[in-house]
Amino acid sequence: VPPTEIEKVIRATRLVRDVRVVGLADAEWGERVVAICVGSKRAERTLRAVVASRLAAPLQPKEWRWVRKLAGGKQLAAK
C-alpha cells in the first residue's frame, strides 16, 4: 500500500493539519511505518484508535512524530 493511502486515512480523521507517512529501517521487521504529523500530540491516542479501526495492523504507523510543519517550508524536528 502506498504511503499516500495511509496518509489519506489519517487526514480523514481531521485530527491533524497535515501528515507524511514514511518507511524507516527496522532491525526486526525490515521497515516500519512512521507518521509525521502536524497538529497536537494530545490527539495521538484518539488518532491511533481511529486509524486502528480503519487500517490493518501492518499498515498502521508504529511510530508517530509531531512537528510544527512539514517539508516544503520544511522543518522536520521534534517528536
Side-chain angles (χ1 to χ4, degrees):
V1 172
T4 53
E5 293 301 314
I6 300 169
E7 291 168 0
K8 185 193 253 182
V9 169
I10 294 170
R11 274 194 197 95
T13 68
R14 304 186 125 200
L15 294 169
V16 298
R17 290 191 304 269
D18 203 359
V19 62
R20 292 291 180 278
V21 172
V22 298
L24 294 181
D26 184 272
E28 184 177 350
W29 300 102
E31 191 170 75
R32 72 182 181 282
V33 178
V34 178
I36 304 166
C37 302
V38 177
S40 173
K41 184 170 174 48
R42 288 177 283 180
E44 186 173 331
R45 181 178 291 192
T46 303
L47 185 58
R48 283 178 182 262
V50 172
V51 169
S53 73
R54 297 181 184 172
L55 290 173
L59 303 177
Q60 296 170 27
K62 304 303 181 246
E63 183 179 337
W64 299 79
R65 295 185 184 184
W66 297 87
V67 298
R68 290 190 188 122
K69 41 169 143 163
L70 293 174
K74 299 191 179 194
Q75 283 178 268
L76 290 178
K79 281 189 181 178

